[in-house]
Amino acid sequence: MKVVVTSTGESLDSEIDPRFGRAAFFVLIDTETGEHRAVSNEVGREAGHGAGIQSAETVSGLGANMVLTGECGPKAEEALKRAGIPVRTKIQGCVADAVNALKTEISVGR
Amino acid sequence: MGDIPSRSIVIASGKGGTGKTTVAVSLALTAPGPIRFLDCDVEEPNAHLFLKPKIDRSTLVTVPVPVIDAGRCRSCGHCASICRFSGIVMLAGKPQVFPELCKGCGGCSWACPEGAIREADRAVGVVEEGLAGRIEFVAGKINVAETSSPRVIRAVRRSPSGRPWTLIDAPPGTACPMMAAVHGADLVLLVTEPTPFGLNDLKLAVSSLSHLGLQFGVVINRFEGEDCRIHDYCEKGNIRIFAEIPEDRKVAEVYSRGDNIVDTLPVVRDIFIALWGEIQEAMNRSDGLRMDGRSCSS
């Protein structure tokens, strides 16, 4: 599964950015291989209107299957829904912790 | 909008809460002849509270938004790439419309190589018209959570006028809504107050109007005769001060009851009759808006 975590920095140790639409970075992680890369969210951060929708477009373009973030506005939520990407909010801590918690959940579920 | 036949005076201000509506309503009630009143503060119109018009016509203001024919769409993404407002974005490989962000430019239907996009009207606000005594009254109201104020303001201003004078109550600030309200005006009166915020936002408004090449002057509200910062600024910038309205608790009391101050306070009425004299005199003069030497102690 490919997961996008909103992040304040580019590494797995970075703190989660609590905002989805105006997050500094999107860290894309493949939970099976552990591969990851960070994408700067300049489009969303600099948008006057529609930051959430543009960020959803970016995330959809990255091929993400899930989003982990702090808060997600109603328009972003609608856009992610239409993109078929489930979003989990109120996630805190660093990027790696959030992904590890998700991996544990997946393995327990199997 | 150069197609306004009557002479238009816009009451504007950089700062909110300085008394735009109070000045606009008071001018309407002391006008020398028949007037048309346009409430262009479409995000929070309130002139009707004081003028109490009888509304007899109501027209929807609409934005043409894209509707995609899924059968024809080949998901090329041209529509989304041309849109600057995220009105259409590509999600999971398909274009998705977000009507509330669409400004109605029509770029997407033009860009679509398949002819798969048609436009449908979406209501964003309303224009209401009626009479308030002898005053022709028009007000725009934007729907809650909509962002297309200038579209509603332009709809209000397009309403045809048969009156020699048009008074326009503008929205506060210096952004697009204010620009839409002042565009093409014969005179803009900037209402301000002698406070640091009042002066700061007056400077912003003056800068905006200078860029647009509009004629303007200043009305100082809540003047207490001590703070001269507005006078000093206007003197340096050679900006004409059209009127000073003194700070008076009675004005606030009348206002808070929803009554108009010119019918209840004769002293205030005289100020507005004098202001009309200044306006007419300024508009009949080629150099109308030069400073007339009004000093702070006056």
Side-chain angles (χ1 to χ4, degrees), chain A residues 50-85:
Chain A
I53 291 171
Q54 288 181 51
S55 293
E57 186 177 31
T58 304
V59 167
S60 176
L62 291 172
N65 307 111
M66 182 181 272
V67 169
L68 304 179
T69 187
E71 293 293 335
C72 177
K75 286 186 198 135
E77 199 180 310
E78 169 66 18
L80 287 169
K81 194 173 137 195
R82 289 203 219 170
I85 304 169

Side-chain angles (χ1 to χ4, degrees), chain A residues 8-88:
Chain A
T8 55
E10 296 179 72
S11 83
L12 292 175
D13 298 329
S14 306
E15 282 289 308
I16 287 174
D17 195 319
R19 308 157 303 172
F20 173 72
R22 298 193 187 276
F25 293 92
F26 295 125
V27 180
L28 179 72
I29 302 141
D30 187 321
T31 54
E32 274 114 60
T33 65
E35 271 181 83
H36 68 272
R37 69 186 171 100
V39 179
S40 177
N41 181 32
E42 273 156 37
V43 179
R45 257 179 324 184
E46 287 165 18
H49 293 294
I53 291 171
Q54 288 181 51
S55 293
E57 186 177 31
T58 304
V59 167
S60 176
L62 291 172
N65 307 111
M66 182 181 272
V67 169
L68 304 179
T69 187
E71 293 293 335
C72 177
K75 286 186 198 135
E77 199 180 310
E78 169 66 18
L80 287 169
K81 194 173 137 195
R82 289 203 219 170
I85 304 169
V87 55
R88 289 193 181 178

Side-chain angles (χ1 to χ4, degrees), chain B residues 68-90:
Chain B
I68 299 173
D69 180 343
R72 281 194 187 178
C73 174
R74 295 164 70 91
S75 300
C76 67
H78 289 176
C79 53
S81 67
I82 202 173
C83 185
R84 289 288 165 275
F85 302 102
S86 305
I88 300 186
V89 293
M90 294 301 283

Side-chain angles (χ1 to χ4, degrees), chain B residues 28-217:
Chain B
L29 295 169
T30 51
I35 66 143
R36 187 169 179 80
F37 187 99
L38 309 183
D39 193 344
C40 284
D41 191 0
V42 303
E43 289 176 35
E44 35 210 8
N46 61 353
H48 62 279
L49 298 175
F50 303 97
L51 291 175
K52 303 175 174 63
K54 194 169 177 294
I55 300 297
D56 53 24
R57 265 162 301 157
S58 184
T59 317
L60 286 179
V61 181
T62 59
V63 176
V65 299
V67 177
I68 299 173
D69 180 343
R72 281 194 187 178
C73 174
R74 295 164 70 91
S75 300
C76 67
H78 289 176
C79 53
S81 67
I82 202 173
C83 185
R84 289 288 165 275
F85 302 102
S86 305
I88 300 186
V89 293
M90 294 301 283
L91 294 172
K94 294 218 173 296
Q96 296 281 339
V97 180
F98 288 84
E100 66 272 30
L101 292 177
C102 174
K103 304 285 183 201
C105 73
C108 51
S109 57
W110 175 81
C112 179
E114 309 299 331
I117 299 180
R118 67 179 178 85
E119 291 177 328
D121 283 339
R122 191 177 79 89
V124 294
V126 69
V127 174
E128 295 180 334
E129 295 175 68
L131 281 175
R134 298 185 313 147
I135 302 166
E136 284 184 0
F137 182 90
V138 188
K141 276 186 198 167
I142 193 165
N143 294 347
V144 171
E146 293 294 345
T147 57
S148 306
S149 300
R151 187 173 285 268
V152 181
I153 291 166
R154 285 193 293 267
V156 173
R157 296 202 47 187
R158 266 198 302 275
S159 62
S161 176
R163 299 282 163 95
W165 295 94
T166 300
L167 283 173
I168 299 174
D169 191 7
T174 52
C176 302
M178 183 264 205
M179 296 282 132
V182 301
H183 190 92
D186 293 306
L187 173 65
V188 182
L189 290 180
L190 292 170
V191 185
T192 188
E193 59 187 24
T195 65
F197 297 121
L199 176 59
N200 181 73
D201 294 356
L202 173 64
K203 287 178 183 171
L204 296 175
V206 165
S207 169
S208 302
L209 296 178
S210 301
H211 278 293
L212 294 175
L214 293 172
Q215 293 216 307
F216 60 89

